[in-house]
Amino acid sequence: NGTLGILALNPNVGMLMIGSTLVPEKVTGPDGRFKEGLNGFASFIAGPGKYTFLHGTAGGGYIITPDLPGASELDALPPTTQNALLYGRAKEHLLASNRSFRCDTLDEEGNSKVRLCGVSAFKDFVGQEVALMQKQMDAASAEARRVEHYFLSDLRSDLISVLRRIKELRTLSNCRFLWARIEALDQALCEDVAPNVATSCVNLMALASVAAVGTIIQYKVWRHLKDNKVVGQELVRFETTHSRFSLRIQELEDERQRREIQLKAVHQQALEETFTAHGNEIKDDDGA
Protein backbone atom coordinates (compact mmCIF):
# COMPACT_ATOMS: atom_id res chain seq x y z
CA ASN A 1 0.00 0.00 0.00
CA GLY A 2 1.57 3.24 -1.11
CA THR A 3 -0.08 5.23 1.73
CA LEU A 4 1.68 3.21 4.44
CA GLY A 5 5.27 3.32 3.25
CA ILE A 6 7.89 1.08 4.85
CA LEU A 7 6.92 0.07 8.39
CA ALA A 8 9.03 -1.69 10.99
CA LEU A 9 8.14 -5.36 11.53
CA ASN A 10 9.42 -8.18 13.71
CA PRO A 11 12.99 -8.73 12.42
CA ASN A 12 12.62 -12.51 12.75
CA VAL A 13 9.70 -12.76 10.30
CA GLY A 14 9.69 -9.32 8.66
CA MET A 15 11.06 -10.49 5.29
CA LEU A 16 8.56 -13.37 5.15
CA MET A 17 5.69 -10.96 5.81
CA ILE A 18 6.90 -8.43 3.24
CA GLY A 19 7.19 -11.13 0.58
CA SER A 20 3.79 -12.74 1.33
CA THR A 21 1.01 -13.08 -1.26
CA LEU A 22 -2.76 -12.46 -1.38
CA VAL A 23 -3.79 -16.13 -1.54
CA PRO A 24 -4.54 -18.10 1.64
CA GLU A 25 -1.97 -20.89 1.31
CA LYS A 26 1.78 -20.92 0.74
CA VAL A 27 2.76 -20.93 -2.96
CA THR A 28 5.94 -21.23 -5.02
CA GLY A 29 7.09 -18.00 -6.64
CA PRO A 30 8.60 -17.51 -10.10
CA ASP A 31 12.08 -17.76 -8.58
CA GLY A 32 11.34 -21.21 -7.13
CA ARG A 33 11.11 -19.99 -3.53
CA PHE A 34 8.10 -20.46 -1.28
CA LYS A 35 5.96 -17.39 -0.58
CA GLU A 36 3.81 -17.19 2.53
CA GLY A 37 0.06 -16.68 2.09
CA LEU A 38 -2.55 -14.93 4.22
CA ASN A 39 -2.62 -17.78 6.75
CA GLY A 40 1.13 -17.64 7.32
CA PHE A 41 1.07 -13.82 7.54
CA ALA A 42 -1.64 -14.01 10.24
CA SER A 43 0.40 -16.49 12.30
CA PHE A 44 3.45 -14.18 12.14
CA ILE A 45 1.62 -11.14 13.58
CA ALA A 46 1.46 -12.27 17.22
CA GLY A 47 1.76 -16.05 17.04
CA PRO A 48 -0.57 -18.78 15.73
CA GLY A 49 -4.27 -18.56 16.67
CA LYS A 50 -4.26 -14.83 17.51
CA TYR A 51 -5.38 -13.37 14.17
CA THR A 52 -6.95 -14.56 10.92
CA PHE A 53 -7.82 -12.88 7.62
CA LEU A 54 -11.34 -12.46 6.31
CA HIS A 55 -10.16 -14.02 3.04
CA GLY A 56 -8.00 -16.60 4.84
CA THR A 57 -8.74 -20.26 5.39
CA ALA A 58 -6.93 -21.01 8.65
CA GLY A 59 -6.07 -19.43 11.97
CA GLY A 60 -8.28 -18.12 14.71
CA GLY A 61 -8.88 -15.25 17.06
CA TYR A 62 -9.43 -11.73 15.80
CA ILE A 63 -10.62 -11.45 12.15
CA ILE A 64 -8.73 -8.85 10.08
CA THR A 65 -10.96 -6.85 7.72
CA PRO A 66 -10.33 -3.75 5.59
CA ASP A 67 -11.30 -1.54 8.58
CA LEU A 68 -10.55 -3.70 11.61
CA PRO A 69 -8.81 -3.60 14.00
CA GLY A 70 -9.55 0.08 14.53
CA ALA A 71 -7.27 2.88 15.70
CA SER A 72 -8.20 2.49 19.38
CA GLU A 73 -7.44 -1.22 19.27
CA LEU A 74 -4.10 -0.65 17.51
CA ASP A 75 -2.96 1.91 20.10
CA ALA A 76 -2.92 -0.77 22.79
CA LEU A 77 -0.57 -3.07 20.82
CA PRO A 78 3.25 -3.07 20.37
CA PRO A 79 4.58 -1.06 17.39
CA THR A 80 5.61 -4.09 15.30
CA THR A 81 2.19 -5.70 15.83
CA GLN A 82 0.48 -2.44 14.88
CA ASN A 83 2.47 -2.23 11.66
CA ALA A 84 1.77 -5.87 10.78
CA LEU A 85 -1.97 -5.31 11.30
CA LEU A 86 -1.84 -2.18 9.14
CA TYR A 87 -0.30 -4.26 6.36
CA GLY A 88 -2.98 -6.92 6.97
CA ARG A 89 -5.76 -4.35 6.68
CA ALA A 90 -4.18 -3.10 3.46
CA LYS A 91 -4.20 -6.66 2.07
CA GLU A 92 -7.91 -7.07 2.91
CA HIS A 93 -8.67 -3.66 1.42
CA LEU A 94 -6.89 -4.70 -1.78
CA LEU A 95 -8.80 -8.00 -1.93
CA ALA A 96 -12.16 -6.31 -1.31
CA SER A 97 -11.59 -3.52 -3.83
CA ASN A 98 -12.80 -3.79 -7.44
CA ARG A 99 -10.87 -0.74 -8.70
CA SER A 100 -7.28 -1.34 -7.56
CA PHE A 101 -5.83 -2.65 -10.85
CA ARG A 102 -5.88 -1.73 -14.53
CA CYS A 103 -7.42 -4.31 -16.86
CA ASP A 104 -7.35 -2.13 -19.98
CA THR A 105 -8.68 -3.48 -23.25
CA LEU A 106 -8.09 -2.60 -26.90
CA ASP A 107 -10.89 -1.75 -29.28
CA GLU A 108 -10.99 -2.72 -32.94
CA GLU A 109 -8.93 0.32 -33.91
CA GLY A 110 -6.18 -0.49 -31.38
CA ASN A 111 -7.05 2.25 -28.90
CA SER A 112 -6.66 1.48 -25.21
CA LYS A 113 -9.80 1.61 -23.09
CA VAL A 114 -9.33 2.05 -19.34
CA ARG A 115 -11.04 -0.58 -17.19
CA LEU A 116 -10.45 -0.95 -13.45
CA CYS A 117 -10.73 -4.35 -11.79
CA GLY A 118 -10.04 -6.29 -8.60
CA VAL A 119 -7.45 -8.91 -7.70
CA SER A 120 -9.31 -11.92 -9.14
CA ALA A 121 -10.25 -10.12 -12.35
CA PHE A 122 -6.65 -8.86 -12.72
CA LYS A 123 -5.32 -12.39 -12.31
CA ASP A 124 -7.65 -13.64 -15.06
CA PHE A 125 -6.75 -10.63 -17.20
CA VAL A 126 -3.02 -11.34 -16.89
CA GLY A 127 -3.58 -15.01 -17.73
CA GLN A 128 -5.57 -14.06 -20.83
CA GLU A 129 -2.94 -11.55 -21.92
CA VAL A 130 -0.15 -14.09 -21.50
CA ALA A 131 -2.12 -16.67 -23.47
CA LEU A 132 -2.79 -14.08 -26.19
CA MET A 133 0.88 -13.13 -26.35
CA GLN A 134 1.87 -16.78 -26.58
CA LYS A 135 -0.64 -17.28 -29.37
CA GLN A 136 0.67 -14.27 -31.28
CA MET A 137 4.27 -15.44 -30.78
CA ASP A 138 3.41 -18.91 -32.11
CA ALA A 139 1.69 -17.34 -35.11
CA ALA A 140 4.70 -15.10 -35.80
CA SER A 141 7.07 -18.07 -35.51
CA ALA A 142 4.95 -20.11 -37.90
CA GLU A 143 4.87 -17.24 -40.39
CA ALA A 144 8.63 -16.83 -40.13
CA ARG A 145 9.16 -20.52 -40.84
CA ARG A 146 6.92 -20.29 -43.91
CA VAL A 147 8.93 -17.46 -45.47
CA GLU A 148 12.35 -18.55 -44.26
CA HIS A 149 13.28 -20.46 -47.43
CA TYR A 150 12.41 -17.42 -49.56
CA PHE A 151 14.96 -15.35 -47.74
CA LEU A 152 17.57 -18.09 -47.90
CA SER A 153 17.21 -18.70 -51.64
CA ASP A 154 16.44 -15.22 -53.03
CA LEU A 155 18.84 -13.41 -50.73
CA ARG A 156 21.57 -15.89 -51.56
CA SER A 157 21.22 -15.34 -55.31
CA ASP A 158 21.22 -11.53 -54.91
CA LEU A 159 24.17 -11.50 -52.53
CA ILE A 160 26.27 -13.84 -54.66
CA SER A 161 26.13 -11.48 -57.66
CA VAL A 162 27.00 -8.44 -55.49
CA LEU A 163 29.87 -10.25 -53.76
CA ARG A 164 31.21 -11.42 -57.15
CA ARG A 165 31.32 -7.84 -58.43
CA ILE A 166 33.09 -6.68 -55.25
CA LYS A 167 35.66 -9.44 -55.66
CA GLU A 168 36.29 -8.43 -59.27
CA LEU A 169 36.76 -4.78 -58.31
CA ARG A 170 39.20 -5.68 -55.53
CA THR A 171 41.18 -8.02 -57.79
CA LEU A 172 41.39 -5.65 -60.74
CA SER A 173 42.20 -2.52 -58.76
CA ASN A 174 44.65 -4.32 -56.48
CA CYS A 175 43.54 -1.89 -53.76
CA ARG A 176 45.11 1.03 -55.65
CA PHE A 177 42.23 3.26 -54.66
CA LEU A 178 43.54 3.11 -51.10
CA TRP A 179 46.92 4.58 -52.05
CA ALA A 180 45.57 8.12 -52.28
CA ARG A 181 44.17 7.85 -48.79
CA ILE A 182 47.47 6.45 -47.51
CA GLU A 183 49.36 9.34 -49.08
CA ALA A 184 46.92 11.84 -47.57
CA LEU A 185 47.39 10.23 -44.15
CA ASP A 186 51.18 10.25 -44.53
CA GLN A 187 51.19 13.91 -45.53
CA ALA A 188 48.90 14.83 -42.66
CA LEU A 189 51.16 13.09 -40.17
CA CYS A 190 54.56 14.03 -41.53
CA GLU A 191 53.84 17.49 -42.96
CA ASP A 192 51.29 18.87 -40.52
CA VAL A 193 51.11 16.95 -37.25
CA ALA A 194 54.80 16.09 -36.72
CA PRO A 195 56.16 19.69 -37.14
CA ASN A 196 53.49 21.08 -34.85
CA VAL A 197 54.25 18.44 -32.23
CA ALA A 198 58.01 19.15 -32.49
CA THR A 199 57.44 22.90 -32.18
CA SER A 200 55.22 22.36 -29.17
CA CYS A 201 57.86 20.15 -27.55
CA VAL A 202 60.59 22.77 -28.12
CA ASN A 203 58.36 25.50 -26.67
CA LEU A 204 57.56 23.38 -23.66
CA MET A 205 61.25 22.61 -23.08
CA ALA A 206 62.08 26.33 -23.30
CA LEU A 207 59.33 27.17 -20.85
CA ALA A 208 60.55 24.44 -18.53
CA SER A 209 64.11 25.82 -18.68
CA VAL A 210 62.92 29.36 -17.93
CA ALA A 211 60.81 28.05 -15.08
CA ALA A 212 63.81 26.15 -13.67
CA VAL A 213 66.05 29.25 -13.86
CA GLY A 214 63.34 31.35 -12.21
CA THR A 215 62.95 28.78 -9.46
CA ILE A 216 66.71 28.74 -8.79
CA ILE A 217 66.89 32.55 -8.68
CA GLN A 218 63.91 32.75 -6.39
CA TYR A 219 65.49 30.14 -4.12
CA LYS A 220 68.79 32.05 -4.02
CA VAL A 221 67.03 35.30 -3.18
CA TRP A 222 64.99 33.62 -0.49
CA ARG A 223 68.08 31.91 0.92
CA HIS A 224 69.98 35.20 0.97
CA LEU A 225 67.16 37.03 2.73
CA LYS A 226 66.74 34.13 5.12
CA ASP A 227 70.47 34.08 5.97
CA ASN A 228 70.51 37.87 6.51
CA LYS A 229 67.53 37.60 8.76
CA VAL A 230 69.14 34.80 10.77
CA VAL A 231 72.46 36.70 11.01
CA GLY A 232 70.66 39.83 12.16
CA GLN A 233 68.82 37.91 14.83
CA GLU A 234 72.06 36.27 15.97
CA LEU A 235 73.78 39.69 16.19
CA VAL A 236 70.96 41.09 18.29
CA ARG A 237 71.10 38.06 20.53
CA PHE A 238 74.90 38.34 20.82
CA GLU A 239 74.73 42.05 21.67
CA THR A 240 72.14 41.37 24.34
CA THR A 241 74.24 38.57 25.81
CA HIS A 242 77.43 40.66 25.59
CA SER A 243 75.79 43.58 27.40
CA ARG A 244 74.57 41.27 30.12
CA PHE A 245 78.01 39.69 30.56
CA SER A 246 79.74 43.11 30.54
CA LEU A 247 77.45 44.31 33.34
CA ARG A 248 78.20 41.16 35.30
CA ILE A 249 81.97 41.50 34.81
CA GLN A 250 81.80 45.17 35.86
CA GLU A 251 79.89 44.20 38.98
CA LEU A 252 82.49 41.54 39.80
CA GLU A 253 85.34 44.03 39.21
CA ASP A 254 83.67 46.61 41.49
CA GLU A 255 83.19 43.93 44.15
CA ARG A 256 86.86 42.95 43.89
CA GLN A 257 88.06 46.53 44.25
CA ARG A 258 85.74 47.09 47.22
CA ARG A 259 87.14 44.01 48.93
CA GLU A 260 90.75 45.11 48.20
CA ILE A 261 90.03 48.51 49.79
CA GLN A 262 88.52 46.79 52.80
CA LEU A 263 91.53 44.46 53.10
CA LYS A 264 93.95 47.39 52.88
CA ALA A 265 92.00 49.23 55.54
CA VAL A 266 92.01 46.17 57.81
CA HIS A 267 95.71 45.62 57.16
CA GLN A 268 96.55 49.26 57.88
CA GLN A 269 94.51 49.18 61.06
CA ALA A 270 96.25 45.98 62.15
CA LEU A 271 99.67 47.59 61.51
CA GLU A 272 98.73 50.68 63.44
CA GLU A 273 97.46 48.60 66.36
CA THR A 274 100.68 46.55 66.29
CA PHE A 275 102.93 49.64 66.28
CA THR A 276 100.90 51.22 69.04
CA ALA A 277 101.14 48.12 71.23
CA HIS A 278 104.88 47.81 70.60
CA GLY A 279 105.45 51.44 71.51
CA ASN A 280 103.56 51.05 74.75
CA GLU A 281 105.70 48.06 75.69
CA ILE A 282 108.94 50.05 75.10
CA LYS A 283 107.68 52.86 77.31
CA ASP A 284 106.83 50.45 80.09
CA ASP A 285 110.32 48.91 79.90
CA ASP A 286 111.97 52.37 80.14
CA GLY A 287 109.92 53.32 83.20
CA ALA A 288 110.86 50.20 85.01
Side-chain angles (χ1 to χ4, degrees):
N1 190 341
T3 60
L4 294 178
I6 300 176
L7 303 178
L9 299 172
N10 187 337
N12 296 325
V13 294
M15 296 304 299
L16 296 176
M17 299 174 78
I18 292 295
S20 60
T21 64
L22 297 175
V23 297
E25 301 296 336
K26 183 186 295 186
V27 297
T28 303
D31 56 356
R33 299 179 181 180
F34 287 105
K35 306 293 182 182
E36 292 291 341
L38 296 176
N39 299 334
F41 188 100
S43 65
F44 293 150
I45 295 176
K50 298 294 182 64
Y51 293 95
T52 184
F53 280 93
L54 181 63
H55 288 80
T57 58
Y62 196 97
I63 298 177
I64 303 173
T65 67
D67 302 317
L68 296 176
S72 59
E73 296 174 303
L74 291 175
D75 292 338
L77 298 174
T80 55
T81 305
Q82 292 182 23
N83 296 336
L85 290 172
L86 289 174
Y87 278 134
R89 280 176 25 179
K91 284 176 176 286
E92 285 293 340
H93 183 272
L94 189 63
L95 290 169
S97 174
N98 291 324
R99 301 176 60 83
S100 299
F101 296 93
R102 295 276 297 269
C103 299
D104 299 348
T105 58
L106 297 176
D107 56 17
E108 295 180 354
E109 297 180 356
N111 299 321
S112 177
K113 183 178 180 181
V114 178
R115 183 171 69 89
L116 301 179
C117 59
V119 175
S120 300
F122 182 75
K123 183 179 179 180
D124 296 337
F125 170 76
V126 171
Q128 293 173 3
E129 290 295 320
V130 171
L132 181 61
M133 291 176 62
Q134 185 64 43
K135 181 179 178 181
Q136 295 294 334
M137 290 172 61
D138 293 340
S141 299
E143 187 68 23
R145 286 193 295 271
R146 284 195 295 270
V147 299
E148 182 180 6
H149 65 282
Y150 293 109
F151 280 95
L152 295 177
S153 60
D154 297 346
L155 187 63
R156 177 183 176 84
S157 59
D158 293 339
L159 285 178
I160 285 178
S161 60
V162 174
L163 293 174
R164 185 178 295 111
R165 291 177 182 176
I166 293 174
K167 181 180 180 181
E168 291 175 355
L169 289 173
R170 185 179 64 82
T171 303
L172 295 175
S173 63
N174 197 21
C175 294
R176 286 192 296 272
F177 62 91
L178 295 177
W179 184 247
R181 296 183 179 275
I182 294 175
E183 288 183 341
L185 178 62
D186 179 74
Q187 183 176 1
L189 291 176
C190 298
E191 300 296 333
D192 298 332
V193 177
N196 293 333
V197 171
T199 304
S200 300
C201 292
V202 172
N203 294 334
L204 290 175
M205 292 178 64
L207 290 175
S209 300
V210 172
V213 172
T215 303
I216 294 172
I217 294 174
Q218 185 176 5
Y219 172 77
K220 290 293 185 181
V221 172
W222 172 80
R223 187 70 260 181
H224 178 72
L225 295 176
K226 182 71 174 177
D227 292 341
N228 290 343
K229 181 179 179 180
V230 172
V231 171
Q233 293 176 350
E234 291 295 329
L235 288 175
V236 172
R237 188 180 299 110
F238 177 77
E239 290 177 355
T240 304
T241 305
H242 181 266
S243 300
R244 188 167 58 253
F245 276 104
S246 297
L247 291 175
R248 180 60 178 168
I249 290 172
Q250 185 64 37
E251 291 176 356
L252 293 175
E253 183 65 23
D254 294 341
E255 180 67 19
R256 186 184 64 80
Q257 292 178 0
R258 186 180 60 81
R259 288 184 179 180
E260 287 180 354
I261 293 171
Q262 289 178 353
L263 288 174
K264 287 180 179 180
V266 172
H267 181 69
Q268 185 66 30
Q269 184 179 0
L271 289 175
E272 290 177 356
E273 290 178 354
T274 302
F275 289 142
T276 303
H278 183 68
N280 292 332
E281 289 177 0
I282 293 173
K283 287 179 181 182
D284 290 341
D285 290 342
D286 292 339

